């Protein structure tokens, strides 16, 4: 079942990308998924969004490491190829790039995942921290083609100022 985000956000999809129901495309833990119009070697590049409240003191690097471990538990071979903290003290973030060898729908693929972690504090209760994860997954061959779109997408993500509290 598709999840919901702990805090409302708004964003703009890159041209050509289209939203899909997470449950129907095999991403039940995602709150949102968008698909690229052209598949590569039978794999469709996708952008997923998920998130959760993190009442613990885990740092963004620790949370990113948890994500790597979940992929490894799903029988994927994962290598972190880049990781860097971004943002500011008030709006911290982390980017991470993974090289993944995985079997998807019975077919082996060399994939690349670009992950962005955003930490958002509740304006009324700064002890409530939400972490939003934005992820681009594509074949290694198609990654260069979709990365600019993902970066453009990430630049549009912001708290939904019009959402009711």
């Amino acid at each position: 079942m598709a999840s919901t985000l702990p805090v409302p956000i708004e964003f703009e999809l890159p041209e050509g990308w289209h939203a899909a129901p997470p449950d129907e495309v095999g991403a039940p833990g995602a709150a949102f998924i968008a698909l690229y119009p052209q598949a590569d070697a039978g794999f469709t590049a996708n952008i997923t969004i998920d998130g959760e409240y993190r009442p613990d003191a885990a740092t963004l690097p620790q949370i990113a490491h948890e994500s790597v471990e979940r992929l490894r538990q799903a029988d994927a071979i994962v290598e972190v190829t880049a990781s860097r903290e971004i943002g500011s003290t008030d709006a911290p973030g982390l980017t991470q790039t993974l090289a993944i060898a995985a079997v998807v729908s019975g077919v082996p693929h060399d994939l690349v995942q670009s992950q962005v972690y955003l930490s958002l504090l509740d304006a009324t209760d700064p002890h409530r921290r939400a972490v939003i994860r934005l992820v681009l997954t594509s074949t290694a061959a198609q990654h260069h083609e979709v990365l600019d779109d993902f970066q453009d997408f990430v630049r549009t993500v912001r708290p939904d100022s019009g959402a009711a509290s």
Side-chain angles (χ1 to χ4, degrees):
M1 181 170 160
S3 67
T4 58
L5 293 176
V7 294
I9 61 171
E10 51 188 19
F11 52 86
E12 296 172 28
L13 281 179
E15 189 173 324
W17 291 75
H18 64 278
D23 290 332
E24 292 179 20
V25 294
F32 178 84
I33 186 165
L35 303 174
Y36 191 64
Q38 291 109 0
D40 177 52
F43 185 86
T44 303
N46 60 80
I47 294 171
T48 59
I49 304 172
D50 63 24
E52 63 185 337
Y53 276 111
R54 290 298 298 240
D56 59 1
T59 64
L60 289 178
Q62 289 168 330
I63 293 168
H65 179 73
E66 291 171 4
S67 178
V68 170
E69 289 308 310
R70 279 191 302 276
L71 286 168
R72 288 182 176 144
Q73 289 171 4
D75 291 329
I77 298 170
V78 183
E79 177 186 351
V80 178
T81 60
S83 181
R84 105 184 143 91
E85 293 188 58
I86 58 171
S88 64
T89 304
D90 293 334
L94 181 132
T95 64
Q96 173 169 272
T97 305
L98 309 175
I100 304 168
V103 175
V104 180
S105 299
V107 179
H109 289 283
D110 289 326
L111 304 174
V112 175
Q113 225 179 53
S114 295
Q115 301 178 336
V116 176
Y117 294 83
L118 304 173
S119 182
L120 305 169
L121 294 180
D122 187 316
T124 59
D125 181 0
H127 298 300
R128 287 179 46 103
R129 173 178 66 143
V131 175
I132 304 296
R133 184 173 68 143
L134 315 168
V135 180
L136 168 69
T137 306
S138 67
T139 62
Q142 195 176 41
H143 192 70
H144 70 282
E145 182 181 329
V146 296
L147 183 59
D148 286 345
D149 282 355
F150 180 64
Q151 291 168 336
D152 290 344
F153 163 76
V154 169
R155 282 191 276 279
T156 72
V157 174
R158 61 198 169 278
D160 185 351
S161 55
S165 9

